[in-house]
Amino acid sequence: MTDLVVRRLLIDLDTPIAARWNGGDAFRSAFFSALSMSFPVGEQYFMDAVRSGLKTLPEPERQKFAQEVHGFIGQEATHRRIHSLFNGHLAKLGFKNDIERRALKRLKANAHRDVRIHVAATAATEHFTAIFADWMLHHPEALEGSEPRLKTLWLWHSAEESEHRNTAFDIYQAISGNHAWRLRIFRYITVIFLTDVLRQTIQNLWHDDSLFKWSTWQSGFQLLMAKDGMFRGNYGLWRDYLAPDFHPSQHDASIAKQWLQENTSQFTVVGQAA
Ligand SMILES: [Fe+2]
Ligand SMILES: [Fe+2]
């Protein structure tokens, strides 16, 4: 069991952000903005899926997971709220959130499916968020030049994603989700997630008037496809999910723990005196 606490982030999100909020870099801003645009709908879905999965468990099992799921939901609810504020600034700058619209359409079309499918989709996406989160914490230069409050936002979210990496996976196993479906859904999520984020990134770049600039794609290549880039450098960790005996706890999460220990001045723990 993972002990999960809910943290309230002490940063200013009232002050507007710039279109190229990430160090003035067009690609890095557009890409992370695209990710942020996908979070509120995604995180609501993860909360619903894990909560529904928990409900199907027999009482003793349910009790075993109840506290962790409570923490998981609290963390995702906070991420959703904070990223909605961030996305509100993007909307005021004229960025159109199509990734959310497409996701809502897909969720509606798949709403009738078995709860195990939804928990598998959540566990698969959480694998992505966990490996990307660790990558972010190891590569804070991906946020180089951005305001400290925005760096804190992204690294705090990363640390919590890494921290709760086991929850959806454990619920999937507890509700007897099988290996074949876990892989099938993971492959599906991989294609959908990457295509959707890249589509939204391109749309953001178009709005920013930087889609056809050489420097934009140079930066994109550097961020994602360099040897230690966010996509290429994570291929091995992505592939680990395919192993029959994979468990998210096999990946080292110490950098997230360290970040949370070193940045206690950036948040308060909900339910605890400051
Ligand atoms: Fe999250
Ligand atoms: Fe998460």
Side-chain angles (χ1 to χ4, degrees):
M1 281 312 96
T2 319
D3 239 345
L4 299 172
V5 296
V6 180
R7 302 174 182 88
R8 184 172 294 126
L9 203 52
L10 306 172
I11 59 166
D12 159 37
L13 273 170
D14 295 332
T15 308
I17 61 170
R20 294 187 191 173
W21 58 269
N22 195 344
D25 185 291
F27 189 91
R28 284 196 282 127
S29 303
F31 176 77
F32 286 108
S33 292
L35 283 177
S36 180
M37 288 167 165
S38 78
F39 289 155
V41 61
E43 291 174 321
Q44 183 62 55
Y45 176 69
F46 306 155
M47 289 189 270
D48 294 344
V50 167
R51 195 188 283 119
S52 308
L54 182 74
K55 272 192 199 150
T56 67
L57 286 173
E59 189 53 28
E61 279 277 280
R62 201 187 314 167
Q63 279 189 3
K64 197 174 101 189
F65 285 107
Q67 209 181 351
E68 181 176 341
V69 166
H70 185 74
F72 174 87
I73 290 173
Q75 290 192 345
E76 294 294 24
T78 316
H79 303 166
R80 187 192 53 175
R81 192 177 59 78
I82 298 276
H83 279 277
S84 296
L85 295 173
F86 186 89
N87 296 347
H89 291 306
L90 294 173
K92 279 191 197 130
L93 291 163
F95 289 98
K96 204 166 152 250
N97 187 342
D98 274 335
I99 197 168
E100 183 170 73
R101 187 183 50 75
R102 286 195 296 271
L104 284 169
K105 210 167 133 191
R106 252 192 330 266
L107 294 185
K108 206 172 157 197
N110 288 294
H112 64 285
R113 296 195 190 277
D114 189 281
V115 64
R116 282 170 293 186
I117 301 284
H118 297 298
V119 178
T122 302
T125 320
E126 287 282 287
H127 181 62
F128 267 98
T129 57
I131 61 179
F132 283 167
D134 266 2
W135 186 91
M136 289 293 289
L137 292 161
H138 280 108
H139 297 85
E141 70 274 12
L143 299 166
E144 197 183 341
S146 63
E147 293 174 59
R149 65 184 177 124
L150 302 179
K151 273 188 195 160
T152 301
L153 184 160
W154 284 91
L155 296 180
W156 156 80
H157 192 169
S158 296
E160 290 197 344
E161 286 305 322
S162 183
E163 189 182 36
H164 71 223
R165 61 175 64 201
N166 296 337
T167 310
F169 193 95
D170 286 341
I171 294 289
Y172 182 69
Q173 289 193 318
I175 60 175
S176 316
N178 73 36
H179 180 64
W181 273 99
R182 177 166 76 74
L183 298 201
R184 200 169 293 154
I185 300 290
F186 181 55
R187 292 200 176 96
Y188 170 79
I189 290 290
T190 299
V191 174
I192 295 287
F193 178 68
L194 296 182
T195 317
D196 246 9
V197 168
L198 287 175
R199 274 179 79 179
Q200 183 68 53
T201 301
I202 287 170
Q203 198 180 326
N204 292 350
L205 289 169
W206 171 262
H207 178 70
D208 181 51
D209 232 355
S210 48
L211 181 60
F212 299 111
K213 293 202 174 107
W214 176 244
S215 58
T216 298
W217 293 98
Q218 239 177 343
S219 166
F221 185 86
Q222 185 59 33
L223 178 73
L224 305 176
M225 299 311 285
K227 198 158 171 269
D228 198 21
M230 197 172 183
F231 285 2
R232 192 172 154 202
N234 273 319
Y235 176 67
L237 296 177
W238 172 86
R239 209 182 40 197
D240 288 346
Y241 196 84
L242 305 174
D245 60 349
F246 173 76
H247 188 271
S249 61
Q250 289 159 5
H251 286 169
D252 178 30
S254 53
I255 194 160
K257 269 197 199 106
Q258 191 187 332
W259 190 92
L260 291 167
Q261 275 163 11
E262 287 172 359
N263 288 275
T264 47
S265 60
Q266 308 280 6
F267 52 78
T268 55
V269 174
V270 177
Q272 274 180 17

